[in-house]
Amino acid sequence: MFRSILTFAVCLVLYISFGLQMIDAIAASQQEAGALSVDFFRNRESPSWKTDDLANDLSNASLDVDDKVKSVNSSAEHDLSTTDKAPKEDTDEHQVDTAAKNARRKLREKRREKRAMDLVRKDDEARVKLENAAIERSKAVDSAVLGKYSIWRKENENENSDSTVRLMRDQIIMARVYSVLAKSKNKNDLYQELQTRIKESQRAVGEATADSDLHHSAPEKIRLMGQILSKAREDVYDCKVVTQRLRAMLQSADEQVRSLKKQSTFLSQLAAKTIPNSIHCLSMRLTIDYYLLPMEKRKFPRSENLENPELYHYALFSDNVLAASVVVNSTIMNAKEPEKHVFHLVTDKLNFGAMNMWFLLNPPGKATIHVENVDEFKWLNSSYCPVLRQLESAAMKEYYFKADRPTTLSAGSSNLKYRNPKYLSMLNHLRFYLPQVYPKLDKILFLDDDIVVQKDLTGLWDVDLNGKVNGAVETCGESFHRFDKYINFSNPHIARNFDPNACGWAYGMNIFDLKEWKKKDITGIYHKWQNMNEDRVLWKLGTLPPGLLTFYKLTHPLDKSWHVLGLGYNPSIDRSEIDNAAVVHYNGNMKPWLELAMTKYRPYWTRYIKYDHPYIRGCNLAE
């Protein structure tokens, strides 16, 4: 009976060995090809991967019972080493079976190890991607100027805070991480102590950005915090968990900064639309005093110069008395022949009295000045002017005055700038009607009320425009100042007629040839595009986009030194560039008369204001 069982076992092993030899051969070929490496797993064997099967048990049992089989195996092994042919005797079955099982086991180990390594690699790749994405987002947050409201009023931005402040803030961050770990491991005493140290350090740091701003207790707080952090590191430190927690904190901080930047954008747009109380006070006091004047004292001298084409004429459209006074004063103070300069001011009904009274009290030397009320231009009506017709439409009224439109800090900031009241005023669109307003003039220099003149501008009348209508400084030094930034090129009318990479130019200081204007019917071109944009499908609101379309290929580029822009939004303009400019322009939200103006640019504007003037002093206008 025993011999029958032994014979059956040997036959079974022999049967299996042929299949295992084939697996062994496949493994050998893979090793030669380099796809797998069994040596890698020799010292990495896991007990859970070891196997014992029935064939091994049977062979061991047969060896214990029959010593003769063992000797046959030994001789068979010797024969295998000296001949190319494997003997097909029952005595070599144990050796073949053992080698095949080892190869098969190693293959299984290799496959499992490979799967484990793939899983680890994929986890590492995902973690690295998350970290890199969070870091890139955090880098991008501070790049937008509108996200830096807190530093607008500082002369110099402090990029490198002092080392003690940085150390304390780093300690607070690590203490927060350790407090989370301590709480998760039920180490309540450590958690409470960390929370106490965090509060103490926060009170000591406060809003400090330099060591000199720190509370006198800061060194002691640093020492105590260092001690608790050392203790926490010994008790609860876990590299993987700390990394995950710091990554989560970074992403959370990134989202908070984005939210705050959006709120800052909203507030800056809101602030840009408001008139400071002091300027409002100035306008009201001047208005009252103007209408108390007798009629004979309300006239300006030298009215005969208003239509003389031999003189230098300026067009200034504004509802801000103080801003208009800076433009006029700066121009006259830098003019070589002030008596040859003529200023044509147009304002609205509300500020007409104030504007007249100011320049009656403060005449611009020998220069000529004249103030008009835009509401008295009877030809400027809705039947002639597309903008007026559109502003009176129900759709536009709903866009501007709908009660439930977003006005909160968290919504509506993206479109708020297009709802600026200046877009509702015809003063902003009057620039497209210069020949109608001044029919006797050949050339006129248009100036915005947020500019300051620093040099004599008479050279602009001598610039050869080469048959063009508009002389302006181009602004396409960077890609975002090209046509596709302002105009919707997905519209077929725009795509067919304009180049998206065409150079943009600046409104704010433009010399216009009014003769060429009339020949080329510029106002008619403007009307055509304005009518096509009734639903705001070609551009949003404003005057620069229709100006780019109207004066397309009709604009002569001026030298950039004539007009430097960006003082109302760009904190990094080169000082020499500003000093050498004939005109500096505060385009942007940070106007020089607002509290959010950038401090380092404001003196260029304030030097032309007399702060000891009774009206200015009476309205608490401070330098």
Side-chain angles (χ1 to χ4, degrees):
M1 181 68 178
F2 177 79
R3 185 175 297 277
S4 298
I5 294 172
L6 180 61
T7 302
F8 173 79
V10 171
C11 290
L12 179 60
V13 171
L14 185 61
Y15 174 78
I16 294 172
S17 68
F18 286 107
L20 297 180
Q21 284 178 343
M22 186 177 294
I23 294 173
D24 195 24
I26 293 171
S29 66
Q30 288 179 335
Q31 287 177 346
E32 291 174 2
L36 299 172
S37 179
V38 176
D39 291 338
F40 180 80
F41 299 95
R42 293 187 187 279
N43 298 321
R44 302 172 185 262
E45 187 173 346
S46 172
S48 63
W49 295 354
K50 295 182 180 180
T51 59
D52 292 322
D53 52 32
L54 178 60
N56 189 32
D57 293 339
L58 291 174
S59 64
N60 287 338
S62 66
L63 288 173
D64 291 338
V65 174
D66 194 353
D67 292 336
K68 186 179 287 187
V69 176
K70 184 176 181 180
S71 63
V72 172
N73 279 337
S74 299
S75 62
E77 183 179 357
H78 174 71
D79 293 339
L80 283 170
S81 64
T82 57
T83 182
D84 294 336
K85 295 183 178 180
K88 296 183 180 181
E89 299 179 4
D90 292 344
T91 55
D92 68 347
E93 292 174 359
H94 173 66
Q95 175 65 27
V96 174
D97 178 55
T98 303
K101 284 194 299 179
N102 287 339
R104 184 170 59 180
R105 186 186 71 249
K106 290 177 179 178
L107 285 171
R108 286 198 300 268
E109 292 174 358
K110 187 192 303 183
R111 286 195 298 270
R112 289 170 180 166
E113 181 72 16
K114 187 174 182 298
R115 285 197 295 269
M117 291 176 65
D118 287 343
L119 290 174
V120 171
R121 178 178 55 78
K122 289 179 180 178
D123 181 68
D124 289 343
E125 288 176 354
R127 176 175 56 80
V128 170
K129 286 181 180 179
L130 282 174
E131 290 176 351
N132 290 340
I135 291 170
E136 290 303 318
R137 285 199 302 272
S138 66
K139 287 179 180 178
V141 166
D142 289 335
S143 63
V145 175
L146 288 177
K148 295 186 175 182
Y149 181 82
S150 61
I151 65 163
W152 285 347
R153 302 186 66 191
K154 294 183 181 179
E155 185 66 29
N156 295 302
E157 194 174 336
N158 187 6
E159 296 288 353
N160 298 310
S161 300
D162 289 3
S163 58
T164 306
V165 175
R166 294 201 306 271
L167 174 60
M168 294 191 73
R169 296 193 187 281
D170 289 344
Q171 283 185 330
I172 292 171
I173 291 171
M174 288 308 303
R176 287 173 178 166
V177 175
Y178 283 139
S179 66
V180 173
L181 296 177
K183 191 172 185 179
S184 65
K185 295 185 178 182
N186 294 323
K187 294 184 177 293
N188 295 325
D189 293 341
L190 179 60
Y191 172 78
Q192 292 297 334
E193 191 171 356
L194 284 166
Q195 289 295 314
T196 301
R197 297 301 176 208
I198 289 173
K199 292 177 182 177
E200 291 177 352
S201 293
Q202 286 175 332
R203 283 195 294 268
V205 173
E207 298 296 327
T209 57
D211 289 356
S212 58
D213 299 331
L214 289 172
H215 191 267
H216 62 82
S217 63
E220 179 64 16
K221 304 303 181 186
I222 292 174
R223 186 184 66 80
L224 294 174
M225 180 64 88
Q227 291 176 351
I228 190 61
L229 288 177
S230 297
K231 181 181 177 182
R233 182 178 179 85
E234 294 175 358
D235 292 351
V236 298
Y237 183 77
D238 185 324
C239 182
K240 184 177 181 180
V241 176
V242 169
T243 302
Q244 292 174 344
R245 184 64 186 172
L246 288 173
R247 189 192 314 139
M249 291 174 65
L250 177 61
Q251 292 173 338
S252 175
D254 181 49
E255 291 302 319
Q256 290 178 8
V257 171
R258 288 174 181 274
S259 175
L260 291 172
K261 187 175 70 172
K262 188 174 182 180
Q263 293 179 14
S264 173
T265 303
F266 181 93
L267 291 171
S268 66
Q269 296 286 351
L270 193 62
K273 297 195 304 181
T274 61
I275 296 294
N277 286 337
S278 54
I279 295 180
H280 182 69
C281 163
L282 177 64
S283 180
M284 293 299 99
R285 290 193 175 190
L286 288 168
T287 299
I288 293 170
D289 289 349
Y290 174 76
Y291 288 107
L292 293 176
L293 284 177
M295 292 299 296
E296 62 272 15
K297 292 186 178 181
R298 297 184 187 180
K299 296 181 180 180
F300 291 100
R302 294 181 288 277
S303 59
E304 66 277 6
N305 292 336
L306 296 178
E307 295 182 348
N308 184 351
E310 301 298 322
L311 301 179
Y312 304 113
H313 294 265
Y314 300 83
L316 174 61
F317 309 144
S318 175
D319 58 359
N320 187 326
V321 176
L322 195 63
S325 73
V326 170
V327 176
V328 174
N329 289 344
S330 63
T331 304
I332 295 305
M333 290 177 67
N334 290 285
K336 295 177 180 177
E337 299 176 291
E339 67 279 3
K340 293 185 178 181
H341 295 260
V342 182
F343 292 90
H344 302 267
L345 272 68
V346 181
T347 187
D348 55 18
K349 184 188 302 183
L350 183 63
N351 294 281
F352 177 72
M355 200 75 74
N356 275 282
M357 189 64 187
W358 177 264
F359 288 105
L360 286 170
L361 293 173
N362 306 279
K366 297 179 180 179
T368 303
I369 195 163
H370 179 58
V371 179
E372 294 181 271
N373 180 3
V374 68
D375 296 306
E376 293 180 358
F377 294 165
K378 301 304 179 184
W379 54 267
L380 197 63
N381 50 57
S382 58
S383 61
Y384 173 66
C385 178
V387 171
L388 278 175
R389 184 170 61 254
Q390 292 166 11
L391 290 175
E392 292 174 0
S393 68
M396 190 67 74
K397 289 178 181 177
E398 182 181 11
Y399 180 77
Y400 271 98
F401 305 112
K402 189 176 180 181
D404 59 349
R405 64 181 172 86
T407 55
T408 63
L409 292 178
S410 59
S413 61
S414 60
N415 288 326
L416 183 65
K417 62 181 178 181
Y418 300 119
R419 294 189 170 98
N420 195 313
K422 72 178 183 179
Y423 297 133
L424 295 173
S425 172
M426 275 310 298
L427 287 176
N428 198 45
H429 298 272
L430 196 61
R431 63 191 70 190
F432 292 103
Y433 300 95
L434 290 172
Q436 287 82 358
V437 182
Y438 310 111
K440 301 290 183 68
L441 301 181
D442 296 333
K443 275 190 176 183
I444 197 165
L445 183 63
F446 172 79
L447 298 176
D448 265 342
D449 64 359
D450 56 352
I451 64 105
V452 172
V453 178
Q454 300 186 126
K455 294 183 180 179
D456 181 66
L457 300 181
T458 54
L460 286 168
W461 276 263
D462 297 327
V463 173
D464 185 2
L465 298 182
N466 298 311
K468 304 294 179 63
V469 179
N470 173 26
V473 170
E474 292 183 333
T475 58
C476 60
E478 301 180 32
S479 60
F480 57 84
H481 282 145
R482 298 187 182 273
F483 268 46
D484 58 356
K485 166 66 179 176
Y486 307 99
I487 306 166
N488 178 21
F489 273 86
S490 64
N491 185 281
H493 296 290
I494 297 296
R496 280 197 305 266
N497 292 283
F498 302 96
D499 177 9
N501 293 316
C503 225
W505 45 267
Y507 249 141
M509 190 214 70
N510 308 79
I511 184 73
F512 289 110
D513 186 331
L514 299 184
K515 286 185 176 181
E516 289 295 326
W517 184 307
K518 296 172 187 176
K519 287 180 183 179
K520 294 180 170 57
D521 189 21
I522 295 300
T523 303
I525 297 173
Y526 163 70
H527 282 175
K528 181 190 78 169
W529 289 112
Q530 193 68 53
N531 282 322
M532 293 176 66
N533 193 50
E534 185 168 359
D535 297 326
R536 301 186 304 279
V537 295
L538 305 185
W539 69 87
K540 297 290 185 180
L541 298 177
T543 54
L544 180 56
L548 295 176
L549 301 182
T550 301
F551 294 100
Y552 183 61
K553 294 185 177 180
L554 296 174
T555 299
H556 175 76
L558 299 176
D559 187 275
K560 291 186 180 298
S561 64
W562 280 111
H563 188 186
V564 169
L565 299 103
L567 277 71
Y569 71 90
N570 185 359
S572 57
I573 303 174
D574 188 83
R575 177 69 177 269
S576 61
E577 202 176 332
I578 297 174
D579 292 340
N580 293 328
V583 169
V584 292
H585 194 169
Y586 291 84
N587 57 314
N589 287 329
M590 290 170 271
K591 303 298 185 187
W593 55 82
L594 299 176
E595 288 188 9
L596 51 78
M598 283 183 277
T599 307
K600 63 181 179 179
Y601 296 149
R602 206 161 182 267
Y604 295 101
W605 188 79
T606 56
R607 69 179 61 165
Y608 295 103
I609 297 176
K610 297 178 179 179
Y611 285 96
D612 58 349
H613 192 284
Y615 280 90
I616 291 178
R617 193 171 60 248
C619 287
N620 297 319
L621 271 161
E623 187 171 358

